[in-house]
Amino acid sequence: MGINAVFEALSHPVRRKILALLKNGPLSAGELAGHFDLTKPTLSVHFNKLREAELVAVERRGTSLIYHLNTSILEEALAGLLSLKDPET
């Protein structure tokens, strides 16, 4: 996982909303889809970006994909960003 992949994933409002929804606990792809007026292929692209950045973990339960928020990656990215801050400011 690279920090660039994390920030690229966070750059889109749909992906940020997915992460916000997952803050309250794991949700299936179908449950997440219910919050958006997007096609399944479009949502799939967003889910894949989040997975590639390791911001979400996915488990299969029967025919459902269950998404979980990976908070440690978010914390790592934030720490990396804060380390760029000029200590004089």
Side-chain angles (χ1 to χ4, degrees):
M1 181 279 312
I3 196 163
N4 289 344
V6 171
F7 288 116
E8 181 182 340
L10 293 173
S11 71
H12 198 284
V14 167
R15 294 191 287 266
R16 290 194 304 269
K17 183 173 179 181
I18 291 169
L19 295 175
L21 290 166
L22 292 173
K23 275 192 327 186
N24 297 321
L27 293 169
S28 71
E31 290 168 324
L32 286 165
H35 292 272
F36 300 94
D37 187 23
L38 298 171
T39 65
K40 285 185 180 182
T42 299
L43 271 175
S44 184
V45 169
H46 290 299
F47 293 148
N48 286 333
K49 281 281 188 193
L50 291 169
R51 272 200 328 248
E52 288 169 10
E54 298 179 18
L55 290 167
V56 297
V58 186
E59 72 173 284
R60 182 172 289 283
R61 284 191 200 153
T63 60
S64 296
L65 292 176
I66 308 298
Y67 288 85
H68 303 260
L69 183 61
N70 186 355
T71 54
S72 62
I73 295 296
L74 283 171
E75 291 166 355
E76 203 175 291
L78 183 57
L81 181 63
L82 292 176
S83 72
L84 298 175
K85 184 179 178 212
D86 182 1
E88 299 295 317
T89 59

